[in-house]
Amino acid sequence: MGEQGELRLLRKALNRCLDAISTTTIRNGGRAGWLSWDLDADGEPLRMVGGRPGLYDGDAGMVWALAALARATDRKDLGELAAAASRNLGDASQPGLLSGQAGISLAQHAAGQTPRQLPGPSTVAGSDLTSGLAGLLLAQVRMGCCGPATLDAVERLTRMAMQTPWAFAGRNPRDRRAGHFAAWPMATAELHWPWPRREPHIPLCREGHRARGPSPALGIRLVRSRPGRLA
């Protein structure tokens, strides 16, 4: 199969996925939404629920993705669906990107709707993407809502990241249970940011939970403070 044939196959598969999303939408007049899993404390699915507003596991994530895909595929129906669902997004009790108000506002902005006001950086305690400062900063950048408070927040995130990393000497996951942390020079050890809602000796490095969360925001800080130094 040549390149053009592969592209046609890819587009066909993409449109089938998008059609599946569209046909499983729950609609009520001009409102739209989707079901998602409600999980127990161990992450096991309990039941399907509707009305989750978050970017991580709710309607805001669908809105944000559909808005981007509508532009990429020139499918007007996806843009209309994203706009309809964005009008149905509720408020979140947390300020963060993946699980809070920043993600909802970002999704509304992506769908061409007037977003709710972003939370202020002073309301955010953590540093990760899920509910912390890194997620709020990235939402501000994507929405064009940067200002003096944003620069202050970047400096604050830099300080937080430099104060909280742990060095992890072992590469075997079992070493973590042995408590082999902060016992090796930083230059030769793995580097992690512990998740603040867990015991401090558990290093997590996923996008939402610490290490890769602060990294993009710190990268923005580096580029702005050292122009021309990055290849």
Side-chain angles (χ1 to χ4, degrees):
M1 182 183 298
E3 182 177 355
Q4 291 302 315
E6 292 177 351
L7 290 175
R8 284 194 298 271
L9 183 61
L10 179 61
R11 178 170 288 274
K12 182 179 179 180
L14 172 62
N15 281 314
R16 289 184 64 181
C17 292
L18 296 175
D19 289 342
I21 291 173
S22 180
T23 56
T24 56
T25 305
I26 299 175
R27 305 173 190 264
N28 181 13
R31 305 167 66 186
W34 294 268
L35 294 176
S36 61
W37 283 109
D38 188 24
L39 307 179
D40 64 17
D42 296 322
E44 296 297 326
L46 293 176
R47 57 188 173 271
M48 299 293 287
V49 297
R52 289 187 186 275
L55 194 72
Y56 184 80
D57 61 353
D59 290 348
M62 298 293 286
V63 168
W64 178 78
L66 287 173
L69 287 164
R71 293 188 292 270
T73 60
D74 295 323
R75 284 188 52 166
K76 184 179 179 181
D77 63 311
L78 299 181
E80 293 173 346
L81 179 55
S86 71
R87 292 191 289 267
N88 193 41
L89 295 175
D91 291 316
S93 59
Q94 298 183 31
L97 178 69
L98 298 186
S99 62
Q101 193 61 48
I104 295 171
S105 298
L106 177 63
Q108 291 171 326
H109 178 269
Q113 306 299 303
T114 302
R116 297 184 183 92
Q117 185 175 358
L118 282 171
S122 62
T123 66
V124 182
S127 62
D128 59 2
L129 282 179
T130 299
S131 58
L133 196 57
L136 178 59
L137 288 173
L138 292 181
Q140 287 181 330
V141 170
R142 294 300 299 268
M143 295 173 62
C145 298
C146 299
T150 304
L151 298 179
D152 292 341
V154 170
E155 296 292 344
R156 179 179 155 214
L157 179 62
T158 303
R159 292 193 299 269
M160 293 169 68
M162 296 305 295
Q163 290 170 0
T164 59
W166 288 69
F168 173 44
R171 292 187 177 273
N172 189 326
R174 289 177 297 180
D175 290 342
R176 288 187 275 182
R177 293 193 292 272
H180 295 169
F181 297 96
W184 216 264
M186 286 287 186
T188 59
E190 296 182 25
L191 190 61
H192 302 272
W193 280 265
W195 193 17
R197 286 178 290 178
R198 300 271 185 155
E199 295 85 351
H201 60 275
I202 298 179
L204 296 178
C205 57
R206 290 176 291 173
E207 192 76 40
H209 306 304
R210 304 295 269 175
R212 282 194 291 156
S215 298
L218 291 177
I220 294 172
R221 185 356 178 120
L222 178 62
V223 169
R224 288 181 175 175
S225 64
R226 304 177 67 184
R229 297 294 298 275
L230 299 180

